[in-house]
Amino acid sequence: MTDTPSSRGSRAAPPVVNLGDPLPLADRADNRVLIPALEGAPPRPPSDVIRALGGQTMGTSWNARVIAPPGVGEDDIRAAIQAELDAVVALFSPWEPTSEVSRFNTAPEGVWAVSQPFWDLLDATMDLGDETNGAVDPTLGALVDLWGFGPPGPRSPLLPVPSEQEIEAALAVSGWRRLRLNREARAAMQMGGMKLDFSGIAKGHAVDRVSDRLTALGATSHLIEIGGELKGRGVKPDAQPWWVEIERVEGAAFPRTVAALFDLAVATSGDYRRSFEHAGRRYAHTIDGSTGRPVANALASVTVLHSSAMKADAYATALMVMGGFEGPDYAEAVGLAAHFVERTDRGLVERVTPAFAAMMDDSESAAG
């Protein structure tokens, strides 16, 4: 691990702004550059035209840089992207009362068959729950709502923090160990009052779906961003990779980090993204299912690079839940490329896993 205290301020961390722009060679000395290992030369893009598209989805924005083959126009690209985004919303958005997750959340007790796409993500999320001992947990919707981060909206300013009794009641209908799946029937058991919530994984899943759809369309070179979660495939016409800037925590003094997304995704979870303050304490939107409360460790952000945007999204959330001791140890043990920023008495301190350090320039890795 590499520890670097931070002392001087910088701008707040926005979503990635220079989506896919080239990295000037003159900037390399002032940036941390991440380049994944490649096996052979990447294939040429299907044309020389990069199309830039964007829009709104899932309460946030999406952006894309797409190189499509001749004959596939911008309308075709936009329609393909929109179809995948609409499908994800129809399946997993608790803000849509007719979505599949909303129908399950409001269903009476019983075992309910679900669609194949819904099952696939639920099953994958439960596997990650087993792997991370509940740091990934799709059953925390009641707690998310209770703390004011779900569809019901923020809590009353008069009672911004739930009572112990409210937390215990929500915990009684939460927890990935309580959710029973019937694999033969492709069904899930609603215990009564349980609310599924895929907010820690849905954006990454949507990125993967859009990327796969564009690849099937022949647009094998593209960069997709949804609410700060990104995935790049292929290269640009000049053979340059898709360069993206990794989010920075406000006040971070360590170098600006840019990554080459060669068939790679990146996701960041941070305590600054959605939160509220009460009595001098910040309550972040990430819920720890073991306590029923927002995470209360000192981590400010976690960034994960992975071939799957869904897994990058899920692992970034899980590592935030695990905290500054268990999180780095777990990430290193399973070989994740992860970057941690922790708030300490010395200021902001960063830690990186060996897999993350392996993507740095040799000079940076040696210095760390």
Side-chain angles (χ1 to χ4, degrees):
M1 301 293 174
T2 300
D3 288 6
T4 307
S6 168
S7 59
R8 61 182 173 84
S10 70
R11 61 181 174 81
V16 174
V17 290
N18 296 320
L19 192 67
D21 286 352
L23 177 69
L25 292 177
D27 286 350
R28 291 179 67 93
D30 299 324
N31 293 295
R32 173 185 293 144
V33 180
L34 304 180
I35 302 177
L38 295 177
E39 295 183 1
R44 291 183 58 82
S47 77
D48 293 331
V49 179
I50 302 177
R51 290 186 169 90
L53 301 91
Q56 299 292 315
T57 189
M58 293 185 283
T60 186
S61 62
W62 66 266
N63 290 279
R65 303 290 185 268
V66 181
I67 305 174
V72 177
E74 185 170 319
D75 289 345
D76 301 314
I77 298 169
R78 183 175 291 277
I81 294 173
Q82 196 62 55
E84 294 303 319
L85 296 176
D86 290 348
V88 171
V89 169
L91 288 166
F92 303 114
S93 174
W95 281 267
E96 292 293 332
T98 60
S99 70
E100 187 163 0
V101 71
S102 292
R103 296 198 303 272
F104 179 88
N105 289 349
T106 56
E109 290 184 46
V111 178
W112 299 90
V114 299
S115 68
Q116 188 67 55
F118 191 94
W119 172 267
D120 290 343
L121 187 62
L122 176 60
D123 191 38
T125 309
M126 290 291 284
D127 285 344
L128 286 166
D130 291 339
E131 179 187 325
T132 62
N133 195 31
V136 173
D137 191 337
T139 72
L140 304 183
L143 288 160
V144 172
D145 289 353
L146 179 64
W147 283 92
F149 297 114
R155 292 176 59 88
S156 165
L158 300 177
L159 296 169
V161 177
S163 66
E164 293 292 332
Q165 291 77 13
E166 289 177 307
I167 294 171
E168 289 301 320
L171 278 170
V173 293
S174 304
W176 99 107
R177 288 194 178 96
R178 289 191 171 92
L179 181 61
R180 296 291 180 265
L181 302 181
N182 184 323
R183 298 182 183 277
E184 290 72 24
R186 203 180 66 208
M189 186 188 75
Q190 170 58 269
M191 62 182 292
M194 175 174 279
K195 293 185 177 182
L196 300 181
D197 182 276
F198 294 91
S199 59
I201 203 168
K203 287 189 297 180
H205 175 62
V207 168
D208 283 334
R209 286 188 57 149
V210 169
S211 179
D212 290 345
R213 179 69 173 269
L214 290 174
T215 299
L217 198 64
T220 51
S221 292
H222 55 257
L223 176 65
I224 308 300
E225 181 262 340
I226 302 176
E229 322 298 10
L230 301 105
K231 187 172 190 174
R233 277 187 171 171
V235 294
K236 294 184 290 184
D238 61 0
Q240 280 285 310
W242 301 104
W243 290 107
V244 300
E245 180 181 353
I246 292 177
E247 290 186 23
R248 299 183 72 201
V249 179
E250 183 177 5
F254 22 87
R256 170 176 174 255
T257 303
V258 290
L261 296 191
F262 287 111
D263 297 333
L264 193 65
V266 59
T268 298
S269 181
D271 66 0
Y272 51 84
R273 280 193 160 186
R274 293 175 59 205
S275 63
F276 69 88
E277 292 190 7
H278 173 66
R281 178 179 172 184
R282 172 185 287 175
Y283 294 87
H285 75 284
T286 301
I287 303 297
D288 183 346
S290 67
T291 65
R293 294 169 169 80
V295 292
N297 56 58
L299 283 182
S301 76
V302 178
T303 295
V304 174
L305 294 103
H306 197 282
S307 59
S308 161
M310 180 270 284
K311 288 191 174 181
D313 200 1
Y315 281 129
T317 300
L319 296 175
M320 281 290 293
V321 172
M322 292 180 187
F325 294 101
E326 182 185 350
D329 288 346
Y330 175 86
E332 182 171 347
V334 300
L336 291 176
H339 175 270
F340 299 80
V341 179
E342 186 173 2
R343 303 183 193 277
T344 75
D345 292 340
R346 295 181 290 156
L348 294 173
V349 172
E350 66 171 348
R351 299 178 179 177
V352 302
T353 61
F356 186 96
M359 294 186 189
M360 298 181 193
D361 286 347
D362 291 340
S363 59
E364 294 173 301
S365 299

